[in-house]
Coordinates of all heavy atoms in Angstrom, one line a residue:
R97 N -41.7 -9.9 57.2 CA -40.4 -10.9 57.1 C -39.7 -10.6 55.9 O -38.5 -10.6 55.9 CB -41.0 -12.3 57.1 CG -39.9 -13.2 57.3 CD -40.5 -14.6 57.4 NE -39.5 -15.6 57.2 CZ -39.4 -16.9 57.4 NH1 -40.7 -17.4 57.4 NH2 -38.4 -17.6 57.2
A98 N -40.2 -10.3 54.7 CA -39.5 -10.0 53.5 C -38.7 -8.7 53.7 O -37.5 -8.7 53.2 CB -40.4 -10.0 52.2
R99 N -39.4 -7.7 54.2 CA -38.7 -6.5 54.5 C -37.4 -6.7 55.4 O -36.2 -6.1 55.2 CB -39.5 -5.4 55.1 CG -38.9 -4.0 55.1 CD -39.8 -3.0 55.5 NE -41.2 -3.4 55.5 CZ -42.0 -2.8 56.5 NH1 -41.6 -1.9 57.3 NH2 -43.3 -3.3 56.5
N100 N -37.5 -7.5 56.5 CA -36.4 -7.8 57.3 C -35.3 -8.5 56.6 O -34.1 -8.3 56.9 CB -36.8 -8.6 58.5 CG -37.7 -7.9 59.4 OD1 -37.7 -6.6 59.5 ND2 -38.4 -8.5 60.3
F101 N -35.6 -9.2 55.7 CA -34.5 -9.9 54.9 C -33.8 -9.0 53.8 O -32.7 -9.0 53.6 CB -35.3 -11.1 54.1 CG -34.2 -12.0 53.3 CD1 -33.3 -12.8 53.9 CD2 -34.2 -11.8 52.0 CE1 -32.4 -13.4 53.2 CE2 -33.4 -12.7 51.3 CZ -32.4 -13.4 51.7
V102 N -34.7 -8.2 53.1 CA -34.3 -7.3 52.0 C -33.4 -6.1 52.7 O -32.5 -5.7 52.0 CB -35.4 -6.9 51.2 CG1 -34.9 -5.8 50.2 CG2 -36.0 -8.1 50.5
T103 N -33.7 -5.6 53.7 CA -33.1 -4.4 54.3 C -31.7 -4.7 54.5 O -30.9 -3.8 54.0 CB -33.9 -4.1 55.5 OG1 -35.2 -3.8 55.2 CG2 -33.3 -2.7 56.2
P104 N -31.1 -5.8 55.2 CA -29.8 -5.8 55.3 C -29.0 -6.0 54.0 O -27.9 -5.5 53.8 CB -29.7 -7.1 56.2 CG -31.0 -7.3 56.8 CD -31.9 -6.7 55.9
I105 N -29.6 -6.6 53.0 CA -29.0 -6.8 51.7 C -28.8 -5.5 51.0 O -27.7 -5.2 50.5 CB -29.8 -7.8 50.8 CG1 -29.8 -9.1 51.5 CG2 -29.3 -7.8 49.4 CD1 -30.6 -10.2 50.8
V106 N -29.8 -4.6 51.1 CA -29.7 -3.3 50.4 C -28.7 -2.5 51.1 O -27.8 -1.9 50.5 CB -31.0 -2.6 50.4 CG1 -31.1 -1.1 50.1 CG2 -32.1 -3.3 49.6
F107 N -28.7 -2.6 52.5 CA -27.7 -1.8 53.2 C -26.2 -2.3 52.9 O -25.3 -1.5 52.7 CB -27.9 -2.0 54.8 CG -27.0 -1.2 55.5 CD1 -27.1 0.2 55.7 CD2 -26.1 -2.0 56.3 CE1 -26.2 0.8 56.5 CE2 -25.1 -1.3 57.1 CZ -25.2 0.1 57.2
L108 N -26.1 -3.6 52.8 CA -24.7 -4.1 52.5 C -24.3 -3.8 51.1 O -23.2 -3.4 50.8 CB -24.8 -5.7 52.6 CG -23.5 -6.3 52.3 CD1 -22.5 -6.0 53.3 CD2 -23.7 -8.0 52.5
A109 N -25.2 -3.8 50.2 CA -24.9 -3.3 48.8 C -24.5 -1.8 48.6 O -23.6 -1.5 48.0 CB -26.2 -3.5 47.9
L110 N -25.2 -1.1 49.5 CA -24.9 0.4 49.5 C -23.5 0.5 50.1 O -22.7 1.4 49.5 CB -25.9 1.1 50.4 CG -27.3 1.3 49.7 CD1 -28.2 2.0 50.6 CD2 -27.1 2.2 48.4
L111 N -23.1 -0.2 51.2 CA -21.7 -0.1 51.7 C -20.8 -0.6 50.7 O -19.7 0.1 50.6 CB -21.7 -0.9 53.1 CG -22.4 -0.2 54.2 CD1 -22.3 -1.2 55.5 CD2 -21.7 1.1 54.6
T112 N -21.0 -1.7 50.1 CA -20.1 -2.3 49.2 C -19.8 -1.3 48.0 O -18.8 -1.2 47.5 CB -20.5 -3.6 48.7 OG1 -21.0 -4.5 49.8 CG2 -19.4 -4.3 48.0
G113 N -20.9 -0.6 47.5 CA -20.8 0.3 46.5 C -19.9 1.5 46.8 O -19.2 2.0 46.0
C114 N -19.8 1.9 48.1 CA -19.0 2.9 48.5 C -17.5 2.5 48.7 O -16.7 3.5 48.9 CB -19.6 3.6 49.6 SG -21.2 4.3 49.4
S115 N -17.3 1.2 48.8 CA -15.9 0.8 49.1 C -15.1 0.7 47.9 O -15.7 0.7 46.8 CB -15.9 -0.4 49.9 OG -16.3 -1.5 49.0
T116 N -13.8 0.9 48.0 CA -12.9 0.6 46.8 C -11.9 -0.5 47.0 O -11.6 -0.8 48.2 CB -12.1 2.0 46.7 OG1 -11.3 2.2 47.6 CG2 -12.9 3.1 46.4
V117 N -11.5 -1.1 46.0 CA -10.7 -2.1 46.0 C -9.6 -1.7 45.1 O -9.7 -1.4 43.9 CB -11.3 -3.5 45.5 CG1 -10.3 -4.6 45.5 CG2 -12.6 -3.9 46.3
D118 N -8.4 -1.9 45.7 CA -7.1 -1.6 44.8 C -6.7 -3.0 44.3 O -6.2 -3.8 44.9 CB -6.0 -1.1 45.8 CG -4.8 -0.6 45.0 OD1 -4.9 -0.5 43.8 OD2 -3.8 -0.3 45.7
E119 N -6.9 -3.0 42.8 CA -6.7 -4.2 42.2 C -5.2 -4.2 41.7 O -4.7 -5.3 41.3 CB -7.5 -4.2 40.9 CG -9.0 -4.4 41.4 CD -9.9 -4.6 40.1 OE1 -9.4 -4.8 38.9 OE2 -11.1 -4.4 40.3
D120 N -4.5 -3.1 41.8 CA -3.0 -3.2 41.4 C -2.2 -3.7 42.5 O -2.3 -3.3 43.6 CB -2.6 -1.9 41.1 CG -3.2 -1.3 39.9 OD1 -3.7 -2.1 39.0 OD2 -3.4 0.0 39.7
P121 N -1.4 -4.7 42.2 CA -0.5 -5.3 43.3 C 0.6 -4.1 43.7 O 0.7 -3.2 43.1 CB 0.2 -6.3 42.6 CG 0.1 -6.1 41.1 CD -1.2 -5.3 41.0
P122 N 1.1 -4.3 45.0 CA 2.0 -3.2 45.4 C 3.2 -3.1 44.5 O 3.7 -4.2 44.0 CB 2.4 -3.8 46.9 CG 1.3 -4.7 47.2 CD 0.8 -5.3 45.9
G123 N 3.6 -2.0 44.2 CA 4.7 -1.9 43.3 C 4.4 -1.9 41.8 O 5.2 -1.8 40.9
A124 N 3.1 -2.0 41.4 CA 2.7 -2.0 40.0 C 3.0 -0.7 39.4 O 2.8 0.3 40.0 CB 1.2 -2.4 39.9
P125 N 3.5 -0.6 38.2 CA 3.8 0.6 37.5 C 2.5 1.4 37.3 O 1.5 1.0 36.9 CB 4.5 0.3 36.3 CG 4.1 -1.2 36.0 CD 3.8 -1.8 37.3
E126 N 2.7 2.8 37.4 CA 1.7 3.6 36.9 C 1.5 3.7 35.4 O 2.6 3.5 34.8 CB 2.0 5.0 37.5 CG 1.8 5.2 39.1 CD 0.4 4.9 39.5 OE1 -0.5 5.5 38.9 OE2 0.2 4.3 40.5
P127 N 0.4 4.0 34.9 CA 0.3 4.1 33.4 C 1.2 5.4 32.9 O 1.3 6.3 33.8 CB -1.2 4.5 33.1 CG -2.0 4.1 34.4 CD -0.9 4.0 35.5
A128 N 1.7 5.2 31.8 CA 2.5 6.3 31.4 C 1.7 7.5 31.2 O 0.6 7.6 30.8 CB 3.1 5.9 30.0

Side-chain angles (χ1 to χ4, degrees):
R97 184 176 173 179
R99 188 173 352 144
N100 287 342
F101 179 73
V102 172
T103 302
I105 293 174
V106 171
F107 181 73
L108 183 60
L110 289 172
L111 283 177
T112 314
C114 294
S115 67
T116 61
V117 176
D118 187 8
E119 294 181 16
D120 293 332
E126 290 292 319

